[in-house]
Amino acid sequence: MNIENKDTVCEEEVFSTIFKDNSKTVFNYIYYKFGNEEKAYDAVQEAFVKLWENCGKVSPKKAKSYVYTVANNLYLNIIKAEKVRLKYADKSLKTTHESPEFLMEEKQFKEKLNRALDGLPENQRTTFLLNRIDGKKYAEIAKIEGVSVKAIEKRMHLALKSLREQIEGI
């Protein structure tokens, strides 16, 4: 279905097409930023609810961009709220992260990779995961992030450099 020629997102078929075509990619984008599947799922669902609530105001051509923007803003609001909660959290409720005495090599590598990815700045991590996991081209990532392709190339270069320094054999 060519939604570009439709006037409104309020038609159920148009909205459904937009959801099917974009929900997985928007989810992955937000998941890479959150690092939390449940929060990413909630943000994406909320973004599509807002699209439906504002369907008369958003053209089908702008719907994808609208959903990315709303989901990203929801992400930023949650991060702000979490920072406030952490600031006032009881410091005595600390958890320990002890690993089992014997870990399989694969599990160790995965943990090392996850730590290395977590250590990347958010923009580099998001760019790396969108490219390497979702197979997005630099131009697509640049459009999603609202930056130039050169900026994406630089982010990817820095991400790979950092990962290579932290993990042997990557």
Side-chain angles (χ1 to χ4, degrees):
M1 171 182 198
N2 187 356
I3 61 170
E4 302 274 324
N5 298 331
K6 299 292 183 179
D7 293 330
T8 180
V9 176
C10 296
E11 293 176 37
E12 195 171 327
E13 189 178 354
V14 174
F15 181 85
S16 179
T17 300
I18 292 166
F19 182 83
K20 286 176 190 167
D21 291 350
N22 300 293
S23 61
K24 179 69 175 156
T25 305
V26 175
F27 169 83
N28 288 345
Y29 175 68
I30 298 301
Y31 174 66
Y32 299 152
K33 287 185 151 206
F34 274 126
N36 182 304
E37 195 172 332
E38 188 176 323
K39 290 177 186 174
Y41 177 78
D42 290 347
V44 172
Q45 289 301 314
E46 182 68 24
F48 277 99
V49 166
K50 291 210 183 289
L51 175 63
W52 182 253
E53 290 172 348
N54 294 296
C55 66
K57 301 174 189 170
V58 181
S59 73
K61 287 181 182 179
K62 303 279 184 189
K64 180 178 179 178
S65 174
Y66 178 86
V67 171
Y68 271 100
T69 302
V70 169
N72 193 55
N73 289 341
L74 288 165
Y75 156 75
L76 294 173
N77 290 338
I78 289 171
I79 294 300
K80 282 182 202 170
E82 286 178 352
K83 284 181 180 177
V84 170
R85 263 186 250 120
L86 284 173
K87 183 177 178 183
Y88 295 104
D90 184 354
K91 301 296 181 202
S92 67
L93 298 176
K94 293 183 179 176
T95 58
T96 59
H97 299 288
E98 295 175 307
S99 58
E101 194 170 325
F102 299 102
L103 293 171
M104 293 171 33
E105 191 173 309
E106 182 180 34
K107 185 177 178 184
Q108 288 175 333
F109 180 80
K110 189 173 181 179
E111 288 173 359
K112 199 173 191 181
L113 175 61
N114 285 334
R115 277 195 304 274
L117 286 170
D118 287 344
L120 291 175
E122 176 204 319
N123 61 359
Q124 290 177 21
R125 182 177 59 247
T126 302
T127 297
F128 177 81
L129 293 171
L130 282 171
N131 177 258
R132 296 301 167 101
I133 303 300
D134 283 355
K136 297 280 181 212
K137 305 265 185 259
Y138 288 179
E140 292 174 284
I141 299 168
K143 188 174 181 183
I144 291 168
E145 290 279 286
V147 297
S148 70
V149 174
K150 283 286 185 200
I152 296 301
E153 289 171 356
K154 179 75 171 176
R155 287 179 187 180
M156 194 63 168
H157 169 75
L158 293 172
L160 289 170
K161 181 180 175 191
S162 178
L163 291 172
R164 281 187 194 107
E165 288 171 359
Q166 293 182 45
I167 303 171
E168 289 182 33
I170 193 167

